Amino acid sequence: MGNFQKLSLALVGLIIGGSVVACDDGRSKADNAAKELASAISALDVGSIAFDGKDAAAANDQLKEVFKALEPAKPAVAAGDMKLEGDTATVPLNYSWKIGSGEWKYSVSTQLKKSGDTWRATWNPAMLVPELAEGEILSKAAESPQRADILGAGGAQLVAYRPVVNVGIDKPQVGGGDIAAAATKLAQLVGVDEAAYVKQVEASGAEAFVTAITLRDDGNRTVSDEQIAAIPGARSIRDSLPLAPTRTFARAVLGSVAQASAEQIEKSGGVLSAGDVTGNGGLEQQYDAQLRGTDKVVIRAQKAGLTTAEIKAAPQDPRRTVFEVPAKPGVPVKTTLDPKLQQWAEDVLGKVGPASAIVALRPSSGAVLAAASGPGSNGYNTAMLGQYAPGSTFKIVDSLALIRNGMTPDSKVECTPTLTVDGRTFKNAEGYPAGSLGSVTLRDAFAHSCNTAFISTRDAVSQAQLESAATSLGVAVEAPALGAAAFLGSVPGEAEGTEHAASMIGQGKVLLSPLAAAVMAGSVAKGAPVSPVLVLAPDAGAPAATAPTATAVPTMDATSPAQGSDASPSATALAPAKTSDKPVTAAEAAALADMMRAVVTSGHAGFLASVPGAPVGAKTGTAEFGKENPPKTHAWIVAVHGDLAVAVFVEDGGLGATTSGPLLKEFLTQAG
């Protein structure tokens, strides 16, 4: 390259470079300053921003005060297209907030001024919120819609707003009296912890009404208004709360509603705040978002320090609304529970001491009509979550496996007094009739529940075939339409020796819940696997449930009243299969139904023959558990009665026929 060419290129570069410098009017630095400002506001921290006319620390304090009511929300702020005129730049700041279920978007304009080589934002409260004046802040108010009901079969109100009275001390009404003495007397009257309530009253504000207890106002109150009014400062304030018909009605299934605790508020991520009501346990918690709906939220601009008294005294509201999210009412949760059957089941279990349950469902549809856990369950959902060895009720599964391997109800099996497998001796239940020993039909062995007869067939039925037969009857498979947490049964696919022999009589590692046992019986009545349904699909647009679904298998723990017979308290049940790979057929179910009917006509459930209506088919079960000698036993019975399948369970209940059987008869007779 010659010298002339080099000089020409140098001149071109100089010209181009000169033109770039000449065109650089400061826009890039102004753009950067605007972006830094937007980023700092997004973080709600402008302490590092240089402002024109405002100290950065003071600006930061003012910003935090303006937005304090919106915590913990933060805005997303982006700088828009800049307009540059000499040493002044005008830039839009585009805000986006997540407020409740809504999105608050707005745009404000701010100016930047060039000072030397630096661009500084001009401080103005209106750069935070449109038309915000000096000395103004934002306030936030939320108003919850009425919580939706939980409905039962036919739209019956299971949980609905019912009248209550909040009983407490109204501190201004105590006057100059002894507040601690009044709180003590009220605590004694209503039966709450005296020391804790006195401490609560003393710690509250001078104008506070401090609730001691909330009582149903249904005419059955044990504490009258007159007794309350006799205590200085004590009052009863009428209100309404979402409640079931009685305190105990299906409580383990439905759950309850109460004011959100501090822990619940913290875990909600801003969804709940002090004073909100929320579900505790059961369907109320699982479907809380659907039932609660979304709050109406109002954001207002107002003078800092404005008091409630000033607002009330003003001829018109001194605040102005800058954003509002309308409330969305909750959507009812529709269930299949029949109020009469549920109450009957609870009444029948009312006199049972140990943990107990009655589950009733409609085989044709899978609808769960009752899922009652007795008082001995202490609030645990034994009906749906219990994990227990099913005992001889599992012979329904054994029989299906045997039928699939060529046997019929008339095939002969050997029923002996005892049978030893690998050194372990199995025997029949106490009082087994001697006349039913020997070579008997499978039907008779089933009707009288001969353990040794079924164990003697163990070589003809593999453990994998037992598992397959169980899933064929709807046991140990997922229930995607149930809509609630439940244990669906667990049947191992592999077992040898004594463990396989124990499986033949529903022990070992075989576990069912009362719900799963009812499904098993119901599948016989239907002639196809029953998939249980408790919660009907919500209306379109209803929020989805966030709690565990029926595909979850809870783990047994030492604190649960639901302990399996030979299972370790820390053992985890097997995960259920997705679906059965070989559903029970109508012909197979007919053979099983024939055998279940024989339990009533010739077996030891003859007491069910007098139940009015359709003929009853049944199977009893007694499952040993623990290490005592003689061992304790769970008492089971399952039955089909027309389009009704029922399972009755009593933990530590003795024999199925003598303990659970009468409970079943009482329930079926009432059910009609």
Side-chain angles (χ1 to χ4, degrees):
M1 181 180 292
N3 290 335
F4 178 76
Q5 288 175 305
K6 292 179 181 179
L7 179 61
S8 298
L9 288 173
L11 288 171
V12 169
L14 180 62
I15 293 169
I16 294 174
S19 66
V20 170
V21 172
C23 291
D24 185 359
D25 53 5
R27 179 175 293 275
S28 62
K29 288 187 177 181
D31 273 335
N32 288 338
K35 289 176 181 177
E36 288 176 8
L37 175 63
S39 178
I41 297 175
S42 295
L44 298 183
D45 186 353
V46 295
S48 62
I49 300 296
F51 287 102
D52 181 51
K54 187 81 170 182
D55 176 73
N60 200 43
D61 289 344
Q62 187 174 354
L63 174 141
K64 291 182 183 300
E65 185 181 8
V66 167
F67 291 137
K68 182 176 178 58
L70 304 189
E71 291 178 350
K74 291 183 178 181
V77 186
D81 294 335
M82 178 179 294
K83 183 178 180 181
L84 188 65
E85 293 181 356
D87 290 345
T88 300
T90 304
V91 60
L93 295 177
N94 302 314
Y95 284 71
S96 177
W97 295 81
K98 285 294 293 179
I99 303 294
S101 61
E103 188 174 15
W104 182 23
K105 290 185 174 183
Y106 57 85
S107 183
V108 293
S109 179
T110 190
Q111 282 192 338
L112 290 88
K113 292 184 178 179
K114 189 176 182 182
S115 175
D117 200 34
T118 304
W119 287 88
R120 296 174 180 266
T122 302
W123 177 259
N124 184 343
M127 68 190 287
L128 305 178
V129 179
E131 300 179 9
L132 191 72
E134 195 68 44
E136 285 188 324
I137 61 170
L138 297 182
S139 65
K140 177 183 174 183
E143 182 180 322
S144 299
Q146 181 163 295
R147 191 177 182 87
D149 296 342
I150 296 182
L151 305 176
Q157 289 181 309
L158 302 184
V159 179
Y161 276 84
R162 292 182 165 91
V164 297
V165 289
N166 297 310
V167 181
I169 295 294
D170 192 358
K171 292 183 73 171
Q173 299 298 318
V174 179
D178 188 335
I179 288 179
T184 300
K185 287 181 180 178
L186 184 60
Q188 292 172 344
L189 176 65
V190 299
V192 300
D193 185 286
E194 297 173 30
Y197 183 59
V198 170
K199 184 177 180 181
Q200 183 184 359
V201 172
E202 289 179 332
S204 61
E207 302 296 316
F209 173 82
V210 186
T211 301
I213 194 171
T214 299
L215 302 172
R216 287 174 179 265
D217 196 15
D218 56 5
N220 296 315
R221 283 166 48 195
T222 56
V223 179
S224 69
D225 289 340
E226 290 74 21
Q227 289 174 298
I228 297 167
I231 299 172
R235 290 180 60 199
S236 54
I237 299 177
R238 277 160 175 75
D239 197 358
S240 62
L241 283 177
L243 297 172
T246 68
R247 186 179 62 84
T248 59
F249 182 89
R251 188 177 181 92
V253 176
L254 299 175
S256 60
V257 176
Q259 283 199 357
S261 66
E263 182 180 4
Q264 288 172 318
I265 292 170
E266 183 180 352
K267 288 182 177 179
S268 74
V271 173
L272 297 174
S273 56
D276 286 347
V277 296
T278 189
N280 288 313
L283 301 182
E284 286 287 359
Q285 180 173 329
Q286 181 173 345
Y287 293 92
D288 187 60
Q290 176 180 329
L291 291 163
R292 192 177 65 246
T294 57
D295 291 351
K296 174 183 178 180
V297 182
V298 182
I299 308 298
R300 297 182 177 95
Q302 64 183 65
K303 181 183 69 175
L306 185 67
T307 65
T308 302
E310 289 174 329
I311 295 172
K312 290 181 177 179
Q316 61 183 36
D317 196 330
R319 305 166 295 178
R320 69 180 187 280
T321 298
V322 293
F323 181 68
E324 183 174 318
V325 180
K328 292 183 181 177
V331 176
V333 169
K334 299 176 181 178
T335 77
T336 58
L337 288 178
D338 183 302
K340 289 184 178 179
L341 289 181
Q342 178 70 29
Q343 189 60 60
W344 283 336
E346 294 183 13
D347 291 345
V348 169
L349 296 176
K351 53 185 176 289
V352 178
S356 60
I358 293 177
V359 175
L361 57 82
R362 197 175 301 289
S364 60
S365 64
V368 177
L369 305 177
S373 300
S377 296
N378 296 317
Y380 187 74
N381 191 355
T382 302
M384 297 175 65
L385 297 175
Q387 299 183 26
Y388 296 95
S392 291
T393 61
F394 196 69
K395 288 172 184 171
I396 297 173
V397 171
D398 298 342
S399 298
L400 176 58
L402 290 168
I403 289 168
R404 286 179 169 177
N405 285 354
M407 294 185 73
T408 71
D410 293 314
S411 297
K412 290 300 182 79
V413 292
E414 293 300 317
C415 180
T416 56
T418 62
L419 184 66
T420 301
V421 179
D422 294 344
R424 178 179 173 183
T425 299
F426 294 89
K427 63 180 182 178
N428 297 314
E430 291 296 328
Y432 187 86
S436 297
L437 293 171
S439 181
V440 298
T441 64
L442 181 62
R443 181 188 296 104
D444 288 343
F446 185 94
H448 293 95
S449 204
C450 180
N451 290 337
T452 58
F454 278 87
I455 294 172
S456 71
T457 66
R458 67 192 181 281
D459 291 338
V461 177
S462 70
Q463 189 69 27
Q465 287 174 328
L466 279 186
E467 180 190 30
S468 176
T471 61
S472 298
L473 291 165
V475 173
V477 294
E478 292 183 355
L482 185 63
F487 175 68
L488 305 164
S490 179
V491 180
E494 296 181 4
E496 302 290 338
T498 56
E499 188 175 310
H500 177 50
S503 293
M504 298 295 294
I505 55 172
Q507 300 213 178
K509 294 182 179 178
V510 175
L511 299 171
L512 296 186
S513 64
L515 171 64
V519 166
M520 177 178 65
S523 297
V524 174
K526 182 180 180 181
V530 168
S531 184
V533 178
L534 175 64
V535 179
L536 301 175
D539 295 334
T546 56
T549 68
T551 59
V553 179
T555 301
M556 290 188 300
D557 57 59
T559 62
S560 165
Q563 302 289 313
S565 63
D566 296 326
S568 163
S570 60
T572 301
L574 298 171
K578 291 289 183 183
T579 58
S580 171
D581 60 354
K582 191 177 181 182
V584 65
T585 66
E588 291 168 340
L592 295 173
D594 168 71
M595 295 165 66
M596 290 180 69
R597 180 59 181 161
V599 175
V600 178
T601 58
S602 62
H604 48 229
F607 53 85
L608 295 174
S610 61
V611 172
V616 177
K619 184 68 194 83
T620 59
T622 303
E624 296 180 351
F625 71 98
K627 301 187 183 301
E628 295 184 16
N629 190 15
K632 294 181 177 180
T633 56
H634 303 314
W636 288 89
I637 190 167
V638 297
V640 292
H641 181 45
D643 196 17
L644 189 67
V646 183
V648 179
F649 167 81
V650 179
E651 184 184 73
D652 190 13
L655 299 177
T658 57
T659 299
S660 296
L663 300 175
L664 172 66
K665 180 180 180 181
E666 185 179 352
F667 177 77
L668 290 179
T669 301
Q670 288 180 327

